């Protein structure tokens, strides 16, 4: 994930961007704008989405880095700490999506055992969801209690092995010298407020990605299965259809979704289905820190997967870093 801007290592198949020094998308050879090492990294032996680089240390299912020292069980990877341990739907007693097209079912979810929501990361995550004004252009008022809820969520996710491994990985890349520094950066990039409207501090990365917003009469963001389930239970989300290439049996499924929220429409959306909050939070954080604004190609459980993030470039945090504008898994 950490690659030179003039190299195709880890960038094969990513979308064209004018900001790149050279390019690695399919067709760059005919456009004569490929990086010099395009053929070496993205030649016939490369399959889009299945690996990040041609490094022999990067094999399907081993992780999210081309570092040969970064192997299964040592970090952010497809090992059980990042997959089965954070998958709800691997236990049919906990979770089962309806996954039917209308008119067979107006619901997405058939059954979720809500005992799951008493787990610390789930409980602290759910407390954050009602902290926001969903309409852009309306100033967010952050109370002292809401700030404590943010800190509690970060405290709980950092207790998990998944987030400990993510910190260790980034620390090994000399990104953060202490866990305190890392947590502060997470808080800024996810919870720092910025304006999507006319100057009001009306949005944040967490609100957009996990809680959802309404902008110009349409649903914006809203990529979380727990949020969808809770609102569907209240009768304010109307599920229309999905596209799906699963089910997979080793890591959370991915759906492309169409739905409405109190009459506001989401024409094209996507979400992990059946994963822990720390899995989603950690994976999006990793891709944003490593490849902001670019597609982040991963292999989890032997399946290709891509995460897209974008920074909010119109303003920056006090530490000079950018806020998260959006982060989502690309739908199948």
């Amino acid at each position: 994930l950490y690659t030179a801007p003039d190299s195709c290592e880890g960038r094969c198949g990513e979308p064209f961007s004018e900001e790149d020094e050279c390019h690695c998308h399919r067709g760059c050879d005919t456009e004569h704008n490929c990086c010099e090492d395009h053929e070496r990294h993205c030649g016939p032996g490369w399959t889009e989405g299945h690996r990040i680089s041609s490094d022999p240390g990067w094999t399907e299912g081993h992780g999210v880095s081309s570092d040969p020292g970064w192997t299964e069980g040592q970090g952010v990877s497809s090992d059980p700490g990042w997959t089965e341990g954070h998958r709800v739907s691997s236990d049919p007693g906990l979770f089962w999506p309806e996954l039917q097209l209308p008119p067979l079912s107006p619901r997405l979810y058939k059954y979720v055992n809500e005992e799951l929501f008493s787990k610390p990361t789930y409980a602290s995550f759910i407390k954050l969801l009602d902290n926001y004004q969903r309409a852009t252009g309306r100033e967010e008022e952050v109370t002292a209690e809401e700030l404590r809820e943010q800190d509690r969520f970060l405290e709980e996710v950092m207790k998990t092995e998944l987030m400990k491994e993510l910190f260790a990985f980034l620390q090994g890349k000399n990104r953060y010298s202490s866990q305190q520094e890392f947590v502060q950066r997470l808080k800024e990039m996810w919870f720092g407020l910025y304006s999507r409207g006319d100057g009001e501090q009306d949005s944040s990365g967490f609100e957009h990605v996990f809680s959802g917003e309404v902008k110009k009469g349409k649903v914006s963001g809203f990529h979380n299965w727990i949020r969808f389930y809770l609102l569907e239970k209240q009768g304010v989300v109307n599920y229309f259809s999905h596209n799906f290439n699963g089910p997979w049996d080793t890591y959370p499924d991915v759906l492309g979704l169409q739905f409405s929220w109190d009459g506001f429409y989401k024409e094209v959306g996507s979400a992990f289905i059946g994963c822990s909050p720390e899995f989603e939070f950690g994976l999006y954080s990793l891709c944003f820190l490593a490849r902001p604004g670019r597609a982040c190609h991963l292999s989890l459980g032997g399946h290709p997967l891509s995460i897209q993030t974008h920074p909010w470039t119109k303003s920056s945090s006090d530490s000079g870093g950018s806020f998260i504008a959006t982060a989502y898994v690309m739908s199948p």
Side-chain angles (χ1 to χ4, degrees):
L1 290 175
Y2 293 82
T3 58
D6 58 351
S7 170
C8 277
E9 182 180 2
R11 295 176 53 199
C12 300
E14 72 177 20
F16 172 84
S17 172
E18 292 182 353
E19 297 179 358
D20 292 337
E21 294 183 17
C22 58
H23 306 281
C24 308
H25 61 285
R26 294 189 183 278
C28 69
D29 51 348
T30 61
E31 298 170 9
H32 306 293
N33 57 11
C34 296
C35 299
E36 291 184 1
D37 59 1
H38 176 265
E39 181 64 23
R40 177 160 61 91
H41 291 295
C42 310
W46 178 83
T47 303
E48 183 172 351
H50 282 271
R51 58 182 181 177
I52 295 176
S53 88
S54 58
D55 190 316
W58 171 261
T59 55
E60 184 172 323
H62 273 69
V64 295
S65 164
S66 58
D67 186 337
W70 179 252
T71 56
E72 184 170 355
Q74 293 182 315
V76 185
S77 75
S78 61
D79 71 20
W82 267 85
T83 54
E84 293 179 4
H86 297 275
R87 175 183 167 82
V88 179
S89 52
S90 60
D91 182 347
L94 286 176
F95 174 85
W96 189 255
E98 192 74 60
L99 298 183
Q100 296 184 73
L101 296 177
L104 296 177
S105 172
R107 297 180 302 134
L108 175 62
Y109 296 105
K110 182 178 180 180
Y111 174 72
V112 174
N113 185 340
E114 294 190 14
E115 291 181 8
L116 179 73
F117 297 156
S118 65
K119 293 185 176 182
T121 57
Y122 288 82
S124 58
F125 173 82
I126 290 170
K127 281 187 174 293
L128 294 169
L129 296 176
D130 63 357
N131 289 353
Y132 301 101
Q133 302 270 8
R134 69 180 180 186
T136 60
R138 297 178 62 183
E139 186 91 14
E140 293 288 349
E141 296 182 5
V142 183
T143 67
E145 177 61 24
E146 289 171 350
L147 289 173
R148 285 192 292 270
E149 290 175 355
Q150 294 173 12
D151 291 338
R152 177 64 183 274
F153 172 70
L154 292 169
E155 177 185 342
E156 292 300 339
V157 296
M158 288 306 302
K159 292 177 182 177
T160 66
E161 289 303 313
L162 181 148
M163 291 298 291
K164 290 177 182 177
E165 289 181 4
L166 176 56
F167 167 66
F169 172 67
L170 294 171
Q171 187 180 41
K173 297 294 183 180
N174 297 317
R175 291 295 297 268
Y176 302 101
S177 59
S178 68
Q179 182 170 302
Q180 181 180 5
E181 181 187 3
F182 176 52
V183 171
Q184 183 60 34
R185 180 69 185 107
L186 290 173
K187 186 173 183 177
E188 289 173 345
M189 71 193 203
W190 280 107
F191 296 105
L193 293 175
Y194 51 84
S195 175
R196 292 183 189 265
D198 298 320
E200 302 87 353
Q201 300 292 91
D202 61 352
S203 186
S204 69
F206 188 94
E207 177 185 4
H208 181 85
V209 174
F210 295 110
S211 183
E213 299 179 297
V214 173
K215 183 177 182 180
K216 297 181 179 179
K218 294 184 179 181
V219 177
S220 180
F222 198 138
H223 299 288
N224 180 254
W225 76 269
I226 299 171
R227 174 68 161 166
F228 194 104
Y229 167 75
L230 294 173
L231 291 180
E232 183 180 73
K233 184 180 176 182
Q234 295 174 26
V236 296
V237 167
N238 186 11
Y239 159 68
F240 296 137
S241 65
H242 70 273
N243 66 320
F244 180 50
N245 66 356
W248 301 315
D249 59 5
T250 56
Y251 76 104
D253 300 325
V254 177
L255 290 187
L257 292 169
Q258 288 185 326
F259 61 92
S260 67
W261 178 17
D262 268 349
F264 299 104
Y265 189 51
K266 180 76 173 183
E267 183 177 1
V268 179
S270 63
F272 283 110
I273 303 294
C275 65
S276 67
E278 59 267 29
F279 177 93
E280 200 167 359
F281 186 77
L283 195 57
Y284 289 157
S285 297
L286 169 68
C287 286
F288 180 76
L289 291 169
R291 302 183 69 76
R294 294 179 176 176
C296 182
H297 301 299
L298 312 172
S299 177
L300 293 181
H303 296 273
L305 185 72
S306 295
I307 303 293
Q308 180 68 55
T309 67
H310 288 289
W312 187 258
T313 57
K314 297 180 182 179
S315 55
S316 61
S317 66
D318 292 339
S319 64
S322 56
F323 301 114
I324 293 176
T326 192
Y328 55 89
V329 59
M330 294 185 184
S331 59

